[in-house]
């Protein structure tokens, strides 16, 4: 991996910025390098009922490798369908060209021609829904790559979140961009009989990868769970619930470090033209901190 850069993490709230005429459609958490440069952008969508701040360690890891990471807070109390989340993500994407540079240090420039879309859990489903232009949504900027981190499209094949993304037909996704799918081996395992699995088999990472076209990468951390990419400490009732609702691994750091590393390798490969780290992970020359299952089609 390349040498890391110092980063900063800051919040941007619409209510504070409205008088500057650069107010984003939703509150944002932004991680960016401190040093001067032109940096690609990663738009990252949080999971079901989670806070964008729960991903701060992952965001800073990615930003330290030369990326600007933007995580909107899409909702506090979600609706039964994802329509508002899809529309809000489109609105945030359209806002980037007008407002993002004004919220960054003067010497830090966003490269709007290199924009990746990503999300965890329900956020992953939302990212794919926007890429597939569900609800006839469109954006003024084009996405260069898409990443699903343990994406989930409902409780099962018969209980998808509207609008449904998965078709259960191989290679059915009709967008033209490279895809990275990261899965958790324990996501489909119930913690106990009282709780459903957090990433049910049939509507999670395996099916998302099955419906992707080339180039697509699929990495699964076998002994880690759905929430193991979050910060070591997630506060509040929601934060504490992430430790008891799902089957988890022994600690979060290995899964988070792996996910951050493979996201950086993928983005370097497809946004910066340097695929050496991605190929090294594929060929296991770079030892991942987790036991991996790897599939790819390029």
């Amino acid at each position: 991996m390349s040498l890391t850069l110092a980063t900063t993490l800051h919040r941007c709230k619409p209510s504070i910025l409205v008088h500057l005429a650069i107010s984003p459609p939703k509150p944002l958490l932004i991680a960016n390098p401190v040093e001067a440069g032109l940096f690609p952008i990663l738009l990252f969508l949080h999971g079901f009922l989670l806070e964008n701040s729960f991903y701060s360690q992952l965001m800073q890891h990615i930003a330290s490798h030369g990326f600007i990471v933007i995580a909107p807070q899409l909702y506090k109390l979600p609706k039964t369908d994802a329509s508002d989340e899809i529309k809000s993500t489109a609105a945030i994407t359209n806002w980037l060209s007008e407002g993002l540079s004004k919220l960054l240090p003067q010497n830090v420039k966003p490269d709007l021609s290199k924009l990746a879309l990503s999300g965890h859990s329900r956020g992953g489903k939302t990212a794919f829904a926007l890429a597939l232009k569900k609800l006839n949504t469109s954006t003024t900027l084009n996405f260069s790559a898409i990443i699903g981190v343990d994406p989930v499209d409902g409780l099962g094949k018969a209980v998808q979140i509207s609008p449904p993304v998965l078709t259960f037909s191989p290679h059915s996704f009709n967008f033209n961009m490279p895809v990275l799918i990261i899965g958790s081996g324990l996501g489909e395992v119930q913690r106990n009989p009282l709780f459903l699995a957090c990433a049910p088999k049939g509507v999670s990472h395996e099916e998302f990868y099955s419906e992707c076209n080339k180039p697509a990468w699929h990495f699964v951390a076998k002994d880690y769970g759905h929430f193991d990419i979050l910060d070591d400490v997630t506060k509040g009732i929601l934060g504490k619930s992430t430790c008891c609702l799902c089957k988890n691994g022994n600690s979060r750091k290995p899964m988070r470090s792996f996910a951050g590393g493979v996201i950086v390798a993928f983005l370097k490969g497809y946004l910066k033209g340097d695929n050496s780290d991605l190929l090294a992970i594929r060929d296991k020359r770079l030892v991942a901190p987790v036991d991996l299952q790897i599939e790819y089609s390029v």
Side-chain angles (χ1 to χ4, degrees):
M1 292 287 186
S2 58
L3 293 176
T4 57
L5 307 174
T7 65
T8 183
L9 186 72
H10 53 105
R11 294 181 180 275
C12 305
K13 296 183 178 180
S15 58
I16 295 174
L17 299 168
V18 67
H19 67 287
L20 299 177
I22 56 170
S23 179
K26 292 287 183 178
L28 305 178
L29 187 64
I30 301 176
N32 58 265
V34 173
E35 73 173 48
L38 179 66
F39 302 105
I41 304 164
L42 177 67
L43 182 59
F44 188 92
L45 310 180
H46 62 82
F48 181 68
L49 283 178
L50 299 183
E51 301 280 348
N52 54 6
S53 61
F54 293 173
Y55 302 88
S56 60
Q57 288 176 288
L58 177 67
M59 292 173 63
Q60 288 179 290
H61 176 98
I62 297 168
S64 73
H65 289 270
F67 300 92
I68 298 168
V69 186
I70 303 162
Q73 187 64 48
L74 293 175
Y75 54 81
K76 293 289 186 179
L77 297 173
K79 297 181 180 180
T80 54
D81 67 74
S83 299
D84 285 349
E85 294 139 65
I86 297 167
K87 294 174 182 176
S88 293
T89 305
I92 292 163
T93 304
N94 294 338
W95 167 88
L96 292 175
S97 57
E98 177 184 1
L100 178 58
S101 61
K102 297 179 177 67
L103 302 183
L104 297 171
Q106 190 172 6
N107 61 345
V108 175
K109 306 297 184 183
D111 188 345
L112 297 171
S113 69
K114 297 178 180 179
L115 171 63
L117 177 62
S118 63
H120 170 231
S121 190
R122 176 162 162 158
K125 175 246 174 51
T126 302
F128 276 80
L130 180 57
L132 292 166
K133 302 185 185 302
K134 298 292 183 178
L135 307 178
N136 295 317
T137 50
S138 61
T139 58
T140 54
L141 296 175
N142 294 321
F143 296 110
S144 304
I146 186 166
I147 301 169
V149 182
D150 226 17
V152 179
D153 192 14
L155 301 177
K157 289 185 176 182
V159 196
Q160 288 177 265
I161 298 170
S162 180
V165 166
L166 297 173
T167 65
F168 311 107
S169 176
H171 312 300
S172 61
F173 288 160
N174 60 349
F175 50 69
N176 184 25
M177 70 179 91
V179 183
L180 169 64
I181 302 292
I182 297 173
S184 65
L186 300 180
E188 63 185 41
V189 179
Q190 291 177 258
R191 184 178 179 91
N192 62 53
L194 298 177
F195 297 148
L196 297 172
C198 287
K201 191 174 181 64
V203 289
S204 57
H205 62 93
E206 290 178 339
E207 185 59 33
F208 273 83
Y209 175 70
S210 171
E211 299 192 23
C212 291
N213 292 294
K214 298 180 180 181
W217 298 79
H218 185 206
F219 296 87
V220 181
K222 298 179 182 178
D223 300 319
Y224 291 85
H226 189 62
F227 288 141
D228 284 333
I229 68 155
L230 302 181
D231 290 355
D232 289 327
V233 178
T234 46
K235 298 179 180 180
I237 295 175
L238 293 177
K240 295 182 187 305
S241 70
T242 63
C243 299
C244 58
L245 292 178
C246 299
K247 182 72 172 177
N248 299 319
N250 292 328
S251 68
R252 289 176 173 176
K253 184 177 180 180
M255 176 63 176
R256 189 178 61 247
S257 297
F258 157 69
V262 76
I263 289 172
V264 167
F266 175 79
L267 293 176
K268 283 178 60 180
Y270 288 101
L271 299 189
K272 295 186 175 183
D274 176 7
N275 65 357
S276 58
D277 287 343
L278 189 59
L279 296 179
I281 296 172
R282 182 197 69 180
D283 299 335
K284 300 187 178 179
R285 295 194 301 271
L286 285 182
V287 178
V290 299
D291 187 15
L292 279 181
Q293 172 187 329
I294 301 173
E295 299 177 89
Y296 56 93
S297 58
V298 294

